[in-house]
Amino acid sequence: VSMDVDVPAHANGVLHRDLKPSNILVRDSDQQPLILDFGNAYVLDDLDQASLTSTAVGSIGYIPPEVLADPKVRSPLQDVYAAAVLTYELIARRRPNPLEYEPLQPAFSTPAALDATIRRALGPAGQRPQTVAILRREFAAIAF
């Protein structure tokens, strides 16, 4: 998987808002993950918050708590949170419980740094990596 390209959607102000396993396809030819189904996507703009929907968009388990509390929140942090859930789920075969995080290491022979990165990305919005590109760089820096 190439780690040195930017996230085109986020670079263009587009949030996916429904990252989950069924919305990711891995291309056979080069193992490149492809994100599908932008039906819930949102383009960041300067619209007044009052014009936004008041219903949380996405799939339960992948929506961060701040969006469940205030569905008008729009931020790349939504996709950062979902990416952390997906990473945990790929390894453990179950979604994490952010309130009672169960470390992957040592049960899955993963580096402790992976748990620290995932835990931070599942934590409060102000403590998460601010973009998926930053999260990806943090994952890439972990020695496996």
Side-chain angles (χ1 to χ4, degrees):
V1 175
S2 174
M3 294 295 217
D4 50 339
V5 295
D6 196 5
V7 179
H10 284 187
N12 289 296
V14 177
L15 307 178
H16 189 279
R17 300 193 311 160
D18 198 20
L19 291 176
K20 59 185 178 182
S22 63
N23 285 343
I24 299 176
L25 174 74
V26 178
R27 190 168 44 205
D28 284 337
S29 62
D30 60 1
Q31 300 303 299
Q32 181 68 38
L34 304 171
I35 297 173
L36 310 172
D37 190 358
F38 279 76
N40 288 325
Y42 180 80
V43 178
L44 293 171
D45 54 27
D46 296 323
L47 286 178
D48 179 18
Q49 287 267 334
S51 67
L52 300 176
T53 182
S54 60
T55 303
V57 174
S59 297
I60 297 299
Y62 301 91
I63 303 171
E66 69 273 10
V67 174
L68 291 172
D70 180 3
K72 293 185 180 209
V73 169
R74 303 290 192 277
S75 161
L77 295 175
Q78 293 174 259
D79 290 344
V80 169
Y81 181 92
V85 172
L86 283 164
T87 302
Y88 188 99
E89 187 174 18
L90 281 169
I91 297 167
R93 301 267 190 227
R94 61 181 166 77
R95 287 194 303 262
N97 177 349
L99 299 176
E100 295 178 19
Y101 186 85
E102 293 181 37
L104 295 167
Q105 200 278 334
F108 296 96
S109 300
T110 59
L114 180 61
D115 275 313
T117 301
I118 292 172
R119 181 177 277 163
R120 198 165 54 79
L122 293 174
Q127 295 176 10
R128 281 186 215 140
Q130 295 300 295
T131 68
V132 173
I134 293 169
L135 178 64
R136 183 179 54 222
R137 282 194 297 274
E138 290 181 14
F139 283 147
I142 298 170
F144 284 89

